[in-house]
Amino acid sequence: MFFHIVLERNMQLHPRYFGRNLRDNLVSKLMKDVEGTCSGRHGFVVAVTGIENIGKGLIRDGTGFVTFPVKYQCVVFRPFKGEILEAVVTMVNKMGFFAEAGPVQIFVSNHLIPDDMEFQSGDMPNYTTSDGSVKIQKDSEVRLKIMGTRVDATEIFCIGTIKDDFLGVINDPATA
Amino acid sequence: MVDHYNKLVKLMARAFYDDLTSKGDNQPKTGRTDNRGIAVVVLDALTRRQWVREEDLAKDLKLHTKQLRRILRFFEEEKIITRDHRRETAKGAKMYSAAVAATADGHPTAREGEEKVKLHTHSYCCLDYAQIYDVVRYRLHRMKHKLKDELEDKNTVQEYVCPTCGKRYNALDALRLISFEDEDFHCESCNGRLEVESDKIASQEAGDGDDNVRRRRREKLKDMLQKMEVQLKPLMDQLSRVKDLPVPEFGSLQAWEARASAAGRAANGDINAADSKMSQMGYNGASIPYSGDTKVVVDFNGTEGKGEGIKSETESTSLKVLPPWMIRSGMVLTKEQRGEVKQETKMDGTSTSITAQHTDDKKSTTEQDDNKSLQDEYIKAYYAALLQQQQELQKKQELLNTTELVDPSSSASGRQVGVKSKRDDAEDDGTEWEETPIGGNGNGGFKVADLNLNVQAEEEPPADEEDEDDIDWEEG
């Protein structure tokens, strides 16, 4: 699920950036630093959308670096149990398949794949129904439901299922 | 109370431990060595005992000690029994046998050759009812859960196990487990190839087969679940029955021994075991708050002092009402133990007391449903005796009056008795027995024949008492 929230961060800026563009430099450095990171608490930071407030800088002794407390708005993505996501399959093996929904990695184990789909090994390992009409392989797009999440301080990993109504392949690259 | 729990244990034994074999699996089972069901026998035996020394149990069951011990160890692991081991001398053993002698089911045979025991390690075991209740519930819960999960494919987090080092992972670890050499999952510590943990009941024969197999598996599971519901119904019923009952608690071996032998000693050895068993369960040893009450009665009798010391002593050790099924012929019991309600104190020889008596009777009947028929007969006998007493009563009345004259406030004391009897009713089960000693101690100068009678009760003739006794014995 996406959230638009305000976060705060202490940015350290090298003295060489001081000048007319200090603020721009600060913002671009902020974006470089936080976008794409993941915190267990808020999820993945997708994009910084604005700066709320930049506090007074504090010059560090010895280094000349200046620390600015920056409040910024950002979009975060946090997967939840039970959430339905669309994801791209990245890897298929006999244990199941891995998929990515943006920054989130999701593993779907083979017993959460519908019973009528079977693993076919080979050059392009895939899960196929007995009549061959549906095929899950690398780069397939699937809709899945998150069954569990593992949230560490800097990492979120999910397991999902496609064994439910309206879940499964939504766009097969082979046929599209 | 214990009965319900014992029934639970028996049902559980038959449900879960019926086909338990104590022998290792490597031995071929012939007809002779097939000892299935022995676990049930052991558990049943334990329901009839409290703490028991394992050698004695083995002897009683005609089992080899080692064999029994193996079973008991298994039950200990299953958290069904508690065991206690201690090195003890002959003295310690005696302490135990004293305790055993005080319990209802102390088996006389178990005490042979006690004297020659010299500092050996002895093991004792006892059912742990509280834990059994939980264990059974947990077991049922797990069974149901597992079947349901499998039926609905609900245990979503697939588990993987490393066959070489036994380390377990689940699907949430999947990202760390994929190796780049091949597509399998590999163990983090030993790099062994992980296998899907299949603790499924029905998946054994059904591999990754076709639809047909899957459907059959589902049906099988459903069937299993249903069968479980039906077959374990008695057990579940018993569980719910037992739910609100207090758990019989024997305490640790030491505590139990102390209590049991104390109770045994207190009963002077002639009241046997059943009492001490009863007193162990409900009785916590410190119910002397009644000594104040009884003093009132004693005062009224005008014979205070003498009886008190003895009384309070006997009180502390005394005597619960025995359920009728526990009364066997040959037991020396007081009436209170048989569950008869005392009327002595409530009769002070006036005609009004008779009506009071009736209400008392009624109350006591409601209180003791199981004694109802007995109570009826008792009433009949009582009326017969009452008529007969009416004549005697006059004489006694005179006698009583003389004593009351001695007492400075005779009318006041008369009321006092009324008050007293009411209070008796209120706390009936607690107070009933407390008066026995008064009678039994023979502290009355006015005693006629029966020692159990109080002064106020003299109008109740001994013959009456005998009647009750007879009825009691038959019913019991």
Side-chain angles (χ1 to χ4, degrees):
Chain A
M1 199 179 293
F2 292 96
F3 296 92
H4 193 200
I5 56 171
V6 176
L7 292 179
E8 191 168 353
R9 185 180 172 88
N10 285 325
M11 298 292 302
Q12 288 204 23
L13 204 63
H14 194 272
R16 77 177 148 211
Y17 298 114
F18 298 168
R20 285 195 304 155
N21 296 331
L22 187 145
R23 192 186 160 90
D24 291 344
N25 284 327
L26 199 60
V27 172
S28 58
K29 184 170 163 38
L30 174 74
M31 285 176 169
K32 210 177 94 197
D33 280 1
V34 299
E35 282 181 4
T37 61
C38 171
S39 79
R41 186 175 152 79
H42 299 105
F44 295 93
V45 177
V46 178
V48 175
T49 56
I51 305 294
E52 288 259 301
N53 172 37
I54 297 177
K56 284 190 173 132
L58 201 71
I59 302 172
R60 317 285 304 181
D61 286 342
T63 61
F65 275 84
V66 173
T67 308
F68 293 96
V70 182
K71 272 190 180 168
Y72 59 99
Q73 301 164 333
C74 63
V75 174
V76 293
F77 175 63
R78 172 83 159 77
F80 289 97
K81 191 173 169 181
E83 192 177 346
I84 309 280
L85 287 180
E86 286 169 14
V88 179
V89 175
T90 54
M91 184 177 131
V92 179
N93 65 18
K94 70 174 166 59
M95 299 297 193
F97 65 83
F98 288 87
E100 279 178 2
V104 190
Q105 296 248 34
I106 301 149
F107 174 64
V108 179
S109 72
N110 57 6
H111 80 291
L112 292 174
I113 295 171
D115 290 339
D116 59 344
M117 299 190 89
E118 276 182 38
F119 179 67
Q120 317 280 335
S121 58
D123 195 24
M124 197 74 162
N126 58 69
Y127 283 89
T128 318
T129 52
S130 47
D131 60 356
S133 62
V134 182
K135 191 184 260 185
I136 293 173
Q137 59 189 10
K138 194 170 184 300
D139 296 328
S140 295
E141 288 174 23
V142 291
R143 183 172 292 136
L144 48 82
K145 187 162 94 177
I146 292 175
M147 300 304 293
T149 57
R150 151 165 298 179
V151 179
D152 298 332
T154 59
E155 196 181 34
I156 295 179
F157 181 69
C158 301
I159 53 173
T161 177
I162 55 169
K163 206 178 192 178
D164 211 339
D165 294 343
F166 307 109
L167 300 183
V169 177
I170 46 177
N171 172 30
D172 191 350
T175 58
Chain B
M1 174 179 88
V2 189
D3 282 352
H4 285 302
Y5 272 94
N6 282 340
K7 194 175 172 207
L8 175 68
V9 173
K10 285 174 183 169
L11 283 169
M12 174 202 66
R14 278 154 186 80
F16 300 135
Y17 303 109
D18 201 19
D19 55 351
L20 180 82
T21 50
S22 61
K23 284 266 190 285
D25 292 330
N26 46 2
Q27 278 157 312
K29 286 185 190 70
T30 65
R32 246 171 62 85
T33 58
D34 186 10
N35 53 8
R36 272 175 298 174
I38 200 74
V40 178
V41 174
V42 172
L43 279 180
D44 277 7
L46 280 172
T47 60
R48 294 188 291 269
R49 291 161 174 77
Q50 299 178 8
W51 277 98
V52 64
R53 185 186 302 150
E54 287 169 12
E55 288 102 274
D56 297 344
L57 186 62
K59 206 182 279 176
D60 289 349
L61 294 176
K62 309 253 185 300
L63 273 176
H64 198 275
T65 331
K66 274 187 180 166
Q67 198 184 355
L68 179 71
R69 206 158 274 161
R70 203 178 298 133
I71 297 167
L72 289 178
R73 204 159 43 230
F74 172 76
F75 283 140
E76 192 185 16
E77 278 165 20
E78 296 275 308
K79 312 265 185 226
I80 286 172
I81 60 173
T82 48
R83 293 173 88 200
D84 197 351
H85 315 279
R86 63 176 185 200
R87 284 173 71 74
E88 57 189 13
T89 55
K91 186 166 149 272
K94 248 184 246 164
M95 196 172 154
Y96 166 73
S97 39
V100 162
T103 59
D105 310 309
H107 294 269
T109 55
R111 265 170 289 138
E112 291 160 9
E114 215 75 281
E115 303 309 321
K116 62 178 179 250
V117 180
K118 289 242 189 299
L119 206 67
H120 283 269
T121 305
H122 287 284
S123 306
Y124 298 82
C125 59
C126 179
L127 289 174
D128 189 341
Y129 289 98
Q131 201 144 276
I132 287 170
Y133 174 61
D134 290 337
V135 164
V136 173
R137 276 194 316 161
Y138 183 62
R139 193 176 184 127
L140 288 175
H141 171 79
R142 286 298 298 253
M143 284 167 76
K144 237 184 266 177
H145 204 70
K146 190 164 177 174
L147 279 174
K148 274 207 179 120
D149 268 6
E150 210 173 313
L151 200 59
E152 296 158 22
D153 258 319
K154 250 212 179 144
N155 56 340
T156 49
V157 182
Q158 180 72 51
E159 294 211 326
Y160 303 96
V161 65
C162 175
T164 46
C165 68
K167 202 165 177 204
R168 301 171 71 90
Y169 302 92
N170 64 27
L172 287 166
D173 301 311
L175 201 58
R176 293 187 278 135
L177 301 175
I178 34 172
S179 86
F180 297 100
E181 299 149 27
D182 55 9
E183 309 236 287
D184 285 322
F185 289 163
H186 285 262
C187 177
E188 281 181 321
S189 44
C190 68
N191 205 32
R193 186 171 296 182
L194 297 184
E195 284 173 3
V196 176
E197 168 78 338
S198 60
D199 54 350
K200 298 199 165 182
I201 306 156
S203 62
Q204 274 92 331
E205 71 271 27
D208 41 4
D210 54 313
D211 246 6
N212 220 345
V213 177
R214 284 221 168 78
R215 200 168 46 241
R216 243 186 294 135
R217 197 174 76 190
R218 273 185 83 79
E219 263 157 30
K220 197 178 153 201
L221 282 173
K222 225 176 258 171
D223 202 40
M224 243 170 166
L225 200 64
Q226 254 165 13
K227 258 195 225 155
M228 192 186 110
E229 294 278 351
V230 172
Q231 289 173 359
L232 294 180
K233 182 133 198 323
L235 189 60
M236 292 177 206
D237 289 349
Q238 189 63 25
L239 270 181
S240 55
R241 209 168 300 145
V242 134
K243 195 174 74 176
D244 298 321
L245 292 175
V247 183
E249 193 64 69
F250 302 129
S252 72
L253 177 60
Q254 275 78 13
W256 174 80
E257 255 179 14
R259 242 176 336 169
S261 54
R265 235 181 295 124
N268 291 328
D270 56 358
I271 295 168
N272 55 36
D275 313 305
S276 62
K277 188 176 187 182
M278 294 310 287
S279 54
Q280 271 163 26
M281 285 150 202
Y283 172 65
N284 54 5
S287 48
I288 322 217
Y290 301 113
S291 52
D293 300 1
T294 44
K295 203 181 272 171
V296 175
V297 180
V298 173
D299 276 349
F300 176 65
N301 291 344
T303 56
E304 63 274 323
K306 186 189 167 192
E308 270 180 324
I310 313 160
K311 193 198 337 148
S312 56
E313 183 190 284
T314 15
E315 257 170 32
S316 65
T317 61
S318 194
L319 301 169
K320 286 261 171 173
V321 177
L322 290 186
W325 48 265
M326 278 195 114
I327 298 173
R328 266 167 259 141
S329 62
M331 288 171 77
V332 185
L333 297 174
T334 59
K335 334 195 272 183
E336 286 72 31
Q337 282 176 280
R338 297 201 187 93
E340 288 160 28
V341 186
K342 279 239 158 168
Q343 261 85 33
E344 292 101 311
T345 46
K346 290 143 202 165
M347 297 182 280
D348 55 353
T350 61
S351 56
T352 53
S353 73
I354 293 166
T355 54
Q357 178 88 40
H358 293 229
T359 56
D360 283 345
D361 266 342
K362 267 173 210 148
K363 272 179 199 161
S364 55
T365 36
T366 52
E367 278 157 14
Q368 310 172 325
D369 320 36
D370 52 341
N371 272 0
K372 240 169 208 159
S373 60
L374 186 114
Q375 213 65 324
D376 287 344
E377 284 185 75
Y378 167 76
I379 289 170
K380 255 182 244 162
Y382 172 71
Y383 280 136
L386 201 64
L387 274 175
Q388 180 195 336
Q389 281 167 27
Q390 218 70 22
Q391 290 97 30
E392 279 182 58
L393 189 66
Q394 313 306 336
K395 268 185 277 171
K396 300 290 152 64
Q397 183 82 47
E398 286 159 21
L399 193 62
L400 202 67
N401 282 343
T402 54
T403 60
E404 278 178 14
L405 284 176
V406 177
D407 207 312
S409 59
S410 60
S411 61
S413 60
R415 258 191 282 116
Q416 220 175 353
V417 175
V419 171
K420 166 77 175 131
S421 64
K422 248 175 226 156
R423 196 166 353 88
D424 268 350
D425 290 339
E427 42 188 49
D428 219 342
D429 50 348
T431 345
E432 264 165 16
W433 44 266
E434 95 189 56
E435 262 122 8
T436 337
I438 309 165
N441 289 333
N443 56 353
F446 313 100
K447 285 287 111 70
V448 196
D450 195 330
L451 281 181
N452 271 337
L453 285 185
N454 218 332
V455 190
Q456 296 97 318
E458 276 172 15
E459 65 176 85
E460 201 169 325
D464 190 7
E465 302 277 352
E466 290 308 313
D467 277 351
E468 294 169 36
D469 285 2
D470 288 343
I471 295 159
D472 236 342
W473 297 92
E474 286 158 21
E475 303 260 318

